[in-house]
Amino acid sequence: MPPLPLIAPQPPRLSELGEALRRVEASGVFSNNGPEVRAFEAEVTERLFGGTGACLAVANATLGLMIAIRDAAGGHPRPGTLALMPALTFAATAQAASWAGLTPLICDVDPDDWSASAAAEEQLLARHGERIGVAVPYATFGNAIDLDRYAWIAQRYRVGVVVDAAASLGTLDERGRGFGTGAPFATVFSMHATKTFAVAEGGLIHSADADCIARLRAMANFGFVEGRSASLPGINAKLPEVLALMARAKLTEIDDVLARRAAVEAAYRDALPGFGVQRPLGMRRASQFMPVLLPAELAPQREAVAAALAVEGIGTGCYFSPHLGQQPEFQATALIEPTPVADRISAALVSLPVTDAMTPDDARRAAGALVAVVEKLSRSTPRIAASGASTSIATTIVIGGGPAGTALLTAATKRNLLPGFAKGLVVVERDAAVGGGRLGRYAITSDSTAQTFLTAVKNNAHPELAALVDHPVGRAVAAYQDALGVPLVEAGPLLRVTGQRLADLTRAHGGEVLTGHEALHATAAGGGLWRVRLRRLSDGQEIDRLARNVVIATGGHQPLDRLSGQSVAGVPLVQLAGDRLLQSDDVLTVGGFDKVADLLSSRRAPRIAVIGGSTSALTTVALLLRGRPALPLGAGGITLLHRRPLRPFYPSVEAAHAEGFHDFGPDDICPVSGFVYRLAGFRLEARELVLRMLGVGGLAPDPRVALHRITGDDDAAARQVLREADLVIAALGYRPFALPVFAQNGAPIPLAAGAGRAMVDRHCRVVGSDDAAVPGLFGIGLAAGFVPWGALGGEKSFVGQANGLWLWQNDVGLMIVDQVLGQRERAAA
């Protein structure tokens, strides 16, 4: 049987275009938007786009993407502007964004149609806001993705849109129109020899907006709008006349080519009912090849599948594997979100041949060969066991791979202890990646400086981490070195990329990182061991892992049941506030301010009560004051009700006195650092608000904010504030997500955290309700309840708990690392 190559280029034959070539030679015009290019643009607009809008032919699709992305991002995007795109696309998509001066922001894909995940896109658009200059969706494998949705996105988020439709020239949308018809933004197609619309090289940009095409035409000609003076960013992206001849010839036969290929694809789909295939979108697509997913257990044997099919004369490919987020260039230069769906699809993809010469019978032959190879390999391949299933005993299981869990790893790197600590380590994380946790979902600034975030990687002993200072995520954080904190939407990406590299280092040194897993409980197993029950979220399968130590780094939350038992000024809070009550966490997350604005939209001069004296309370007030569009707050529109005095942090006694602040004594000064209110004092944005409200240094208080210190259960004024408020926001702190733990006989071990007390003691050991440390259990992170002591510093007067990324990544994290490694050394001795 004749071979079936994956791709068999069939561009028009130049040898058959002699008369047309002589016409070009006679004209003396070989480039510069000559008559052949203009004729092709007019013909393709009429034939494939119903005569609407306009088209621009360019030298290749990558150049087309470059100028279209640059134009959609405003022509002169600011450094750090992001281009949002899916992971499952060709490298040219991200390369074009980089050459246009933007940073790729790579998101996951939809599990059915394999295009950009709508939920991921909208989450990132909300999180990053105006930093995203352009969205670059990919019409995956010629699919007719929903362009009306992207027109809505452009309006809703005020973001540019450029559609990478490299393989879609000739695809018909759900209304039977050429894909891209009517879209108000640029849609960029390829005419490379390997595409269905095969020319030697070239690209095409279509838009319903003729002005957009006119700008792009000028940009493709060095930015010349009139004469030879550049008034736009430009490059030479013009299509030569000879290639335009070939494009015109291809246009005359494209309908027949598309019909034959559609029949081949249909035959494949009928012959491969048990395989994962992409959900088709639109009435017809310009099939370049047939992408198929291997069964999960055979994905690691993809090369063997390809080799077996090659023996049968059937060519294969792996588009797109690795996907964008797995390629070194973009790992070093892009922002990459967790991509579990793209990871799974990319690992299992096999592309089967679709060529102009093939028939449906050829497709059935290739499909039959694939089925036979898969059946043969399946008989000799055991099914994938539960992820992480092992009879080995882990040294330590860290439950939670967010900022606190990965802080342990960061702390270890700072003393070059990670190689030893990672041996026998298992990190368990619910999300698809470690590092970020929920931190990047908050629409507020941090109470840590940019320098604090960067100390985790700057001059790190591991080059992979040290390089992040110059990575886009590091540069984005560094831009706030002189600001009052870092927006957490900027800090989150740095933590995620750091977490990814820490995970790679952990695996390289003998550890495991189990993403997509959650820990259900831990049970004492005897002999100083713990049995931790894990559940894989993808299929619910549960496994047990044995470990000598367990670190609980699951973060904190604001439990609803806490509100039902909370009293303010002697009256239950729910009784005072009713259905006007929100928790601060709901307000501080991305979209929270919009929720508040919507709830208060009918109020001309709304009154808001914020309860609490913590950083989250002050940060909530700050967010309400600076939100946009501004709330119509009158004088005293926000009342902060607090029990303890509000104290600002100062780096020294002298600094406090210099600003006229004297409200502190010897017990309020840290003996190690000399800081005033080192632990109890507010910092950065919250500190600035406190200084204003206290009138320190002659600052004028914000008239929109009133302070009310609750005096006790008989504080009638506090009760009145709550009853009259249009909205009540409870900022009452966080409690830990404490892991359920059981004794060897199955009886629950009651923990101090369950009684509302600190989860850990001064050595980060989890304590029971009797305040005795539970052997082998440690805790770290938000709401764990750790209080610095001894060499860690802190003022004697401090009451409460200290939470801070710098502490976790340094002294607190090392406290746990040292105990685990010391335990190992003692066992070896």
Side-chain angles (χ1 to χ4, degrees):
M1 290 186 179
L4 299 176
L6 175 65
I7 295 173
Q10 289 290 325
R13 296 176 180 273
L14 278 173
S15 59
E16 297 176 0
L17 299 177
E19 182 178 345
L21 287 169
R22 284 188 289 273
R23 184 172 68 239
V24 169
E25 291 173 345
S27 74
V29 178
F30 297 91
S31 186
N32 292 349
N33 296 305
E36 300 298 335
V37 166
R38 290 299 188 129
F40 169 64
E41 291 171 347
E43 291 163 0
V44 76
T45 300
E46 181 64 33
R47 185 156 182 171
L48 296 188
F49 303 103
T52 65
C55 287
L56 169 66
V58 289
N60 59 63
T62 304
L63 288 169
L65 284 171
M66 288 167 58
I67 60 174
I69 290 171
R70 183 74 178 262
D71 178 67
H76 296 89
R78 293 177 298 178
T81 299
L82 304 175
L84 174 60
M85 62 188 64
L88 200 66
T89 183
F90 190 51
T93 315
Q95 295 282 25
S98 297
W99 279 105
L102 284 78
T103 298
L105 172 60
I106 299 169
C107 71
D108 207 1
V109 299
D110 183 90
D112 295 324
D113 63 37
W114 306 352
S115 62
S117 162
E121 284 181 319
E122 291 178 37
Q123 181 185 67
L124 292 171
L125 285 162
R127 182 193 302 168
H128 290 283
E130 63 181 15
R131 269 203 70 197
I132 298 180
V134 60
V136 191
Y138 174 54
T140 316
F141 301 138
N143 245 359
I145 59 176
D146 185 358
L147 298 187
D148 289 340
R149 175 176 168 272
Y150 284 101
W152 172 82
I153 281 176
Q155 291 184 337
R156 169 67 177 82
Y157 296 99
R158 297 185 295 277
V159 65
V161 173
V162 173
V163 179
D164 182 348
S168 301
L169 191 53
T171 288
L172 300 180
D173 65 19
E174 71 284 352
R175 285 172 276 189
R177 307 176 306 174
F179 180 66
T181 302
F185 36 71
T187 303
V188 183
F189 305 90
S190 174
M191 300 189 299
H192 190 269
T194 60
K195 295 294 188 288
T196 301
F197 197 105
V199 180
E201 184 60 276
L204 185 75
I205 307 175
H206 174 75
S207 177
D209 182 355
D211 289 339
C212 171
I213 294 298
R215 284 194 310 276
L216 296 178
R217 187 179 302 280
M219 292 175 70
N221 187 32
F222 306 103
F224 297 159
V225 176
E226 294 181 0
R228 298 179 67 81
S229 177
S231 53
L232 292 171
I235 198 171
N236 183 7
K238 299 184 296 294
L239 185 74
E241 289 286 272
V242 170
L243 293 180
L245 287 180
M246 298 177 70
R248 294 182 70 184
K250 194 67 182 181
L251 185 61
T252 64
E253 65 181 37
I254 190 62
D255 283 335
D256 289 341
V257 169
L258 290 166
R260 290 196 300 273
R261 286 178 174 244
V264 170
E265 180 179 344
Y268 269 126
R269 289 180 178 273
D270 289 342
L272 295 169
F275 286 78
V277 294
Q278 180 186 19
R279 177 166 65 90
L281 302 174
M283 291 183 60
R284 180 191 72 189
R285 64 177 182 174
S287 299
Q288 184 181 5
F289 43 74
M290 181 64 193
V292 177
L293 294 182
L294 294 175
E297 62 271 17
L298 291 186
Q301 298 192 57
R302 182 168 55 186
E303 290 186 5
V305 172
L309 290 175
V311 171
E312 302 295 325
I314 298 166
T316 59
C318 301
Y319 296 92
F320 298 104
S321 181
H323 63 66
L324 290 186
Q326 297 169 329
Q327 297 176 29
E329 169 64 15
F330 309 122
Q331 288 179 339
T333 60
L335 274 63
I336 304 171
E337 289 291 301
T339 56
V341 178
D343 294 347
R344 174 178 59 81
I345 292 172
S346 177
L349 267 176
V350 170
S351 302
L352 298 175
V354 176
T355 66
D356 291 358
M358 284 179 63
T359 66
D361 283 342
D362 291 326
R364 286 186 278 270
R365 170 191 157 197
L370 176 64
V371 170
V373 169
V374 166
E375 288 179 347
K376 180 178 179 181
L377 289 174
S378 295
R379 288 193 294 269
S380 59
T381 302
R383 297 193 65 82
I384 295 176
S387 176
S390 174
T391 57
S392 63
I393 298 174
T395 301
T396 305
I397 294 180
V398 177
I399 300 172
T406 52
L408 281 175
L409 308 181
T410 298
T413 66
K414 291 191 171 185
R415 289 222 318 244
N416 205 20
L417 297 174
L418 185 63
F421 185 63
K423 187 176 182 180
L425 178 69
V426 179
V427 179
V428 179
E429 168 56 36
R430 285 180 53 88
D431 288 343
V434 301
R438 286 177 48 84
L439 200 65
R441 303 175 190 176
Y442 287 95
I444 57 176
T445 57
S446 67
D447 58 358
S448 299
T449 65
Q451 291 90 329
T452 297
F453 283 104
L454 292 172
T455 56
V457 296
K458 188 175 182 180
N459 299 322
N460 196 281
H462 297 274
E464 304 93 323
L465 298 177
L468 292 180
V469 171
D470 297 317
H471 189 281
V473 293
R475 293 197 299 270
V477 169
Y480 294 89
Q481 291 197 51
D482 298 322
L484 294 176
V486 181
L488 292 181
V489 295
E490 303 286 7
L494 173 61
L495 294 178
R496 285 193 293 276
V497 177
T498 303
Q500 176 188 350
R501 300 197 177 185
L502 286 168
D504 292 342
L505 286 167
T506 297
R507 295 186 182 102
H509 292 290
E512 298 177 61
V513 179
L514 302 180
T515 54
H517 286 70
E518 64 180 353
L520 303 178
H521 52 76
T523 303
L529 300 179
W530 288 95
R531 178 177 290 106
V532 181
R533 174 61 59 90
L534 305 178
R535 178 164 58 202
R536 189 168 57 193
L537 298 178
S538 61
D539 57 11
Q541 186 165 1
E542 297 182 5
I543 57 174
D544 286 336
R545 294 298 302 266
L546 288 173
R548 301 190 183 281
N549 301 285
V550 176
V551 179
I552 301 173
T554 46
H557 66 136
Q558 294 180 331
L560 287 173
D561 59 2
R562 179 177 185 176
L563 296 181
S564 62
Q566 184 71 42
S567 291
V568 177
V571 179
L573 178 58
V574 293
Q575 181 180 325
L576 290 168
D579 60 2
R580 296 168 291 123
L581 183 61
L582 284 179
Q583 300 214 70
S584 60
D585 208 63
D586 295 326
V587 178
L588 298 176
T589 50
V590 171
F593 177 81
D594 293 335
K595 181 178 181 179
V596 170
D598 183 59
L599 289 171
L600 300 175
S601 60
S602 63
R603 305 291 183 180
R604 294 184 61 183
R607 291 167 296 181
I608 304 171
V610 179
I611 311 168
S614 64
T615 295
S616 60
L618 271 294
T619 303
T620 297
V621 174
L623 176 66
L624 296 175
L625 292 176
R626 61 174 166 79
R628 292 290 181 270
L631 297 174
L633 297 169
I638 300 173
T639 300
L640 177 67
L641 299 104
H642 59 102
R643 289 191 174 90
R644 297 175 184 171
L646 304 177
R647 304 300 195 196
F649 163 84
Y650 278 98
S652 67
V653 171
E654 293 76 18
H657 288 168
E659 289 191 354
F661 185 77
H662 300 276
D663 191 10
F664 60 92
D667 288 348
D668 303 318
I669 303 170
C670 171
V672 174
S673 63
F675 296 166
V676 178
Y677 293 121
R678 176 180 179 181
L679 301 179
F682 292 100
R683 300 183 183 229
L684 300 176
E685 186 178 45
R687 178 180 183 273
E688 291 298 303
L689 181 58
V690 167
L691 291 175
R692 290 187 64 185
M693 299 315 299
L694 297 180
V696 175
L699 294 174
D702 191 313
R704 296 172 294 174
V705 183
L707 300 180
H708 182 92
R709 187 174 176 187
I710 301 172
T711 56
D713 289 348
D714 59 349
D715 192 335
R719 294 196 293 269
Q720 183 178 358
V721 168
L722 293 171
R723 288 193 177 103
E724 294 179 353
D726 298 303
L727 186 66
V728 177
I729 301 173
L732 301 173
Y734 292 81
R735 289 184 176 173
F737 283 112
L739 181 75
V741 292
F742 299 91
Q744 194 169 352
N745 62 6
I749 299 177
L751 301 180
R757 305 200 305 276
M759 183 172 72
V760 301
D761 65 8
R762 64 193 320 217
H763 299 287
C764 293
R765 300 175 300 188
V766 173
V767 294
S769 59
D770 59 357
D771 292 326
V774 181
L777 288 188
F778 299 90
I780 188 173
L782 182 64
F786 178 79
V787 179
W789 57 281
L792 277 66
E795 64 270 24
K796 184 178 180 180
S797 62
F798 178 69
V799 176
Q801 57 178 287
N803 293 303
L805 188 62
W806 188 89
L807 277 173
W808 303 340
Q809 292 177 338
N810 290 275
D811 296 325
V812 177
L814 280 171
M815 187 180 292
I816 297 176
V817 172
D818 286 342
Q819 289 178 82
V820 169
L821 292 179
Q823 179 190 84
R824 184 184 298 171
E825 290 172 2
R826 289 191 297 273

